[in-house]
Amino acid sequence: MRAAPPRRRRTSRALLFVTSVAVLAAGLLLPEPPSAGAAPVTFVHPGVTVSGGQLDFARAKVNAGAQPWKAAFDQMMASKYADLNRTPKPRATVECGSYSNPDYGCTDEREDAIAAYSDALAWYITRDDRYAQKSIQLMDAWSAVIKEHTNSNAPLQTGWASSSWPKAAEIIKYTYTGTWANSGRFATMLRDVYLPKVIGGSNSNGNWELSMMEAAVGISVFLEDRTSYDQAMARFRTRTAAYVYLASDGDLPKTVPSQHLDTRDKIVSYWQGQSTFVTGLTQETCRDFTHTGYGISAISHVAETSRIQGQDLYGTDVGERLRQALGFQSRYQLGAAVPSWLCGGSLTLGLGPVTEVGYNALHNRLGIAMTNTQALTERNRPAGSNNLFVAWETLTHGDNPS
């Protein structure tokens, strides 16, 4: 016969309360603030890059015919992504080699995911059920078929596609007034096909891992998976610090431990041969601005998702690195002369439509002067899509206070 457990002395709730208050008053016990970037206790929906408040703001502006939101909306609605006649092209195996060669389903998958997101935005703004149903059709088509991604670009491809899928799914699941019978199957697709491919990260150029962590964070929000959210966010913080240089980092950029960049020569080689490090330079600046833009965009998207989820990455080094990266790249994208010490005096431009989210958060919300980024952002409006994982950010984030 098992012995009875020892009785615990009961302490009245009133006594515990009084004691706690006394200790707090004495300054001996202070509540610990949540770690910036940690998973929220309760996830906010819709909450992947775009919040409900931001959607409401955009909808009101479009319906009022206000600019630049109306032009951005018209741009989206005229695109192939909002075409109600679009036919999804799912594959069981998406095979993507370097630079998507071969391209067996790569473009189709990325663009169907962007289309699902575009249709979800169109539904929210117009309240036309046809767009919600089209978004659902695209998501259902892929969740019924896709099993794996293969070949050398598989991790990046998976990251790009699954950066868009959760944004579409969040809007449909949490705002559409109709039914989405296969939402559970879609969640299973994200959990079983996409998340395992991206959560482990990459030791390739930094834009890979940043895009993969954007995807992992977005998937984690949709799945309400706190463990994978924390894992992805930790990897994201490490990679962001190793992607954008600040003078406070020291003589050399920070590194990702798993890459074993343990000498100056190795670091310089990884930074595309650049040996002079200045604040705002990125690991891929001397490669080209297009890939640099992918990295900057992913940083801004994760920071924005984190903000929506109740944390503040903009107030950490992530925000400072994002601000400096935007400003540095924008300056040269606008046509500033390239000094001889920077990438041998020659840059390959093409930053892409990637400045709206970071500019809105840092300049409009936090009041930070960003002269070059502002000029480039306003020049590029309305910002469209890069046909990979960025779409319609003048519409969703342009001067959006929500």
Side-chain angles (χ1 to χ4, degrees):
M1 187 172 180
R2 299 175 67 180
R7 289 187 177 181
R8 294 180 178 176
R9 181 177 296 174
R10 293 185 178 179
T11 303
S12 72
R13 292 181 180 178
L15 179 59
L16 283 173
F17 175 78
V18 171
T19 303
S20 296
V21 170
V23 173
L24 279 168
L28 300 176
L29 178 64
L30 296 175
E32 184 178 348
S35 173
V41 175
T42 302
F43 284 95
V44 175
H45 304 289
V48 177
T49 308
V50 186
S51 69
Q54 288 170 320
L55 291 168
D56 287 339
F57 175 87
R59 182 171 187 255
K61 290 297 185 182
V62 171
N63 288 339
Q67 301 296 354
W69 305 277
K70 181 60 166 60
F73 174 74
D74 291 344
Q75 176 192 43
M76 179 183 78
M77 297 302 287
S79 75
K80 61 183 177 182
Y81 297 117
D83 183 357
L84 289 170
N85 294 314
R86 184 181 187 87
T87 300
K89 298 177 181 178
R91 285 175 177 256
T93 299
V94 174
E95 182 180 354
C96 306
S98 181
Y99 291 91
S100 293
N101 183 24
D103 180 347
Y104 298 138
C106 316
T107 300
D108 291 337
E109 180 187 33
R110 293 193 307 266
E111 296 193 351
D112 277 351
I114 293 173
Y117 175 52
S118 304
D119 288 324
L121 288 173
W123 138 255
Y124 197 91
I125 291 172
T126 66
R127 293 301 197 266
D128 185 335
D129 279 15
R130 295 177 301 165
Y131 290 101
Q133 289 298 322
K134 176 56 69 172
S135 182
I136 290 170
Q137 180 196 23
L138 290 160
M139 291 188 285
D140 283 354
W142 280 90
S143 70
V145 174
I146 182 73
K147 297 298 181 186
E148 63 177 347
H149 297 83
T150 64
N151 214 320
S152 59
N153 254 35
L156 182 60
Q157 168 72 21
T158 308
W160 281 342
S162 58
S163 291
S164 297
W165 287 130
K167 289 191 286 190
E170 283 278 300
I171 294 173
I172 295 300
K173 183 174 181 178
Y174 292 100
T175 75
Y176 179 47
T177 51
T179 59
W180 180 15
N182 292 314
S183 63
R185 188 179 73 194
F186 183 84
T188 298
M189 175 191 77
L190 292 182
R191 181 181 296 107
D192 295 348
V193 178
Y194 289 91
L195 186 58
K197 203 75 172 182
V198 296
I199 193 67
S202 166
N203 286 327
S204 185
N205 281 301
N207 82 87
W208 278 50
E209 187 161 80
L210 290 167
S211 289
M212 292 163 71
M213 291 310 104
E214 176 188 345
V217 167
I219 290 171
S220 298
V221 171
F222 185 73
L223 298 180
E224 298 196 328
D225 184 337
R226 299 184 79 249
T227 299
S228 63
Y229 185 100
D230 285 343
Q231 182 179 344
M233 195 62 74
R235 193 176 292 275
F236 165 79
R237 295 289 299 271
T238 299
R239 175 59 70 175
T240 299
Y243 193 70
V244 182
Y245 176 79
L246 299 178
S248 57
D249 294 338
D251 292 338
L252 294 171
K254 292 181 179 292
T255 61
V256 175
S258 60
Q259 293 189 267
H260 305 294
L261 300 174
D262 49 12
T263 68
R264 180 181 178 86
D265 286 347
K266 288 181 181 179
I267 291 172
V268 169
S269 176
Y270 185 60
W271 281 63
Q272 322 297 326
Q274 177 69 12
S275 59
T276 301
F277 301 103
V278 297
T279 292
L281 184 79
T282 81
Q283 182 257 315
E284 296 185 272
T285 297
C286 293
R287 180 186 185 187
D288 58 62
F289 272 28
T290 299
H291 287 88
T292 298
Y294 300 163
I296 291 173
S297 178
I299 292 170
S300 70
H301 291 169
V302 175
E304 190 71 356
T305 296
S306 177
R307 182 192 70 86
I308 295 167
Q309 296 305 322
Q311 305 297 334
D312 178 20
L313 287 183
Y314 291 119
T316 70
D317 76 297
V318 171
E320 180 63 9
R321 291 178 196 278
L322 176 59
R323 178 175 80 91
Q324 297 292 352
L326 282 168
F328 186 89
Q329 267 64 219
S330 293
R331 180 169 183 264
Y332 294 107
Q333 186 67 40
L334 288 166
V338 183
S340 59
W341 57 262
L342 177 60
C343 310
S346 177
L347 293 170
T348 302
L349 303 179
L351 193 60
V354 301
T355 64
E356 287 278 16
V357 175
Y359 170 72
N360 185 58
L362 296 165
H363 175 74
N364 293 333
R365 286 201 204 100
L366 299 183
I368 301 170
M370 300 176 71
T371 305
N372 290 320
T373 306
Q374 180 174 357
L376 182 61
T377 300
E378 293 176 351
R379 188 182 78 176
N380 288 344
R381 285 177 173 171
S385 175
N386 69 355
N387 303 310
L388 299 173
F389 69 104
V390 178
W392 324 125
E393 292 181 351
T394 299
L395 174 63
T396 56
H397 292 82
D399 299 335
N400 192 324
S402 299

